[in-house]
Amino acid sequence: MTSPTLTAITRATLAKDLRLEWRSKDAINSMLFFALLVVVIFAFAFDPTAEQSRQIAGGLIWTALLFATVVALNQTWARELRNNVLDAYRVSPAPPNAMFLAKSIANFIFVALLQAVMTPLFVVFYSLRSIGPVWQLVVIGLLANWALVVNGTFFAAMSIRTRNREIMLPLILFPLSIPALLAMVEATTQVLTGTSQVLTGASWPRFWVQFLGVYDVVFTVVCLVLFETVLNAE
């Protein structure tokens, strides 16, 4: 199968997923409600000062997004089971990686939209103001988003045929996401508090950003290599 075919099928599958989500808004609404609930509960529970907010915001933001992402991941493959789409795809000549890439990109877009909505709310509820450059947070956010969705999409496919897939997915995903979550939190906190120069001597958290980049590359390659086996597994 040539790469243009892979690209074309990925684009078609992605367009289908985005169209279905635009009509139903199941994943977006679930993620938004869950993340909003976490933000409000923590804001009223802790009522932090501006300095305390900069110290804890990295952990709060990424923990809330990780849990909200699981809500969307649980729905990623569920709608394909309803009409036996996975079985039809499995016997078709289409490359399995096209479906995996399309699902991962769709989840990346959903989480990015959630971030765009939730970031202003974090700023308001926690009186948050970044001391470091804001553009560094954008770079960290893009790398962190992919880290959340690429292995999440893969493990959601693995757990889709299990009886308790809503419970099974977090049990598999969370332990493997701990290194990436640590990097997200540390990088975000260093930018928000402006401590990158003090702690590392660099103008931004280079080590944690590079760590996230390596994590993304490794999990993307491993998931692409193994996805055909997962798709064909009974």
Side-chain angles (χ1 to χ4, degrees), residues 95-108:
N97 287 341
M99 175 172 265
F100 174 74
L101 285 173
K103 296 288 184 186
S104 298
I105 295 170
N107 286 327
F108 181 87

Side-chain angles (χ1 to χ4, degrees), residues 86-102:
L86 283 181
D87 292 332
Y89 199 92
R90 192 162 49 181
V91 298
S92 75
N97 287 341
M99 175 172 265
F100 174 74
L101 285 173

Side-chain angles (χ1 to χ4, degrees), residues 13-200:
T13 307
L14 175 62
K16 184 262 296 179
D17 283 352
L18 294 179
R19 189 164 54 250
L20 287 175
E21 181 58 30
W22 175 257
R23 291 174 180 170
S24 67
K25 297 181 178 59
D26 289 339
I28 291 292
N29 286 342
S30 302
M31 293 168 68
L32 185 59
F33 177 76
F34 190 90
L36 184 61
L37 202 60
V38 172
V39 171
V40 173
I41 288 174
F42 276 104
F44 284 111
F46 295 117
D47 191 20
T49 63
E51 181 56 30
Q52 289 172 333
S53 294
R54 279 192 287 271
Q55 294 289 343
I56 66 173
L60 286 178
I61 291 170
W62 290 114
T63 302
L65 286 173
L66 176 62
F67 283 108
T69 301
V70 171
V71 176
L73 291 171
N74 272 323
Q75 300 182 34
T76 299
W77 300 101
R79 61 174 53 135
E80 308 293 0
L81 283 180
R82 291 168 195 155
N83 297 311
N84 297 322
V85 176
L86 283 181
D87 292 332
Y89 199 92
R90 192 162 49 181
V91 298
S92 75
N97 287 341
M99 175 172 265
F100 174 74
L101 285 173
K103 296 288 184 186
S104 298
I105 295 170
N107 286 327
F108 181 87
I109 293 172
F110 299 153
V111 176
L113 289 174
L114 177 66
Q115 279 183 317
V117 174
M118 295 307 299
T119 300
L121 295 179
F122 268 107
V123 172
V124 171
F125 275 95
Y126 294 94
S127 303
L128 205 56
R129 185 176 65 83
S130 174
I131 294 178
V134 175
W135 68 266
Q136 295 179 1
L137 295 175
V138 176
V139 175
I140 294 167
L142 293 174
L143 291 172
N145 273 0
W146 188 252
L148 288 178
V149 303
V150 68
N151 53 2
T153 305
F154 179 80
F155 290 117
M158 280 185 64
S159 60
I160 190 63
R161 298 184 190 279
T162 60
R163 183 178 300 174
N164 299 313
R165 59 175 178 266
E166 289 83 4
I167 299 174
M168 187 63 68
L169 177 58
L171 290 178
I172 302 173
L173 179 61
F174 286 175
L176 288 172
S177 297
I178 288 176
L181 188 63
L182 175 65
M184 299 169 202
V185 173
E186 287 291 337
T188 304
T189 303
Q190 287 187 20
V191 174
L192 288 175
T193 57
T195 56
S196 299
Q197 187 74 37
V198 176
L199 295 176
T200 66

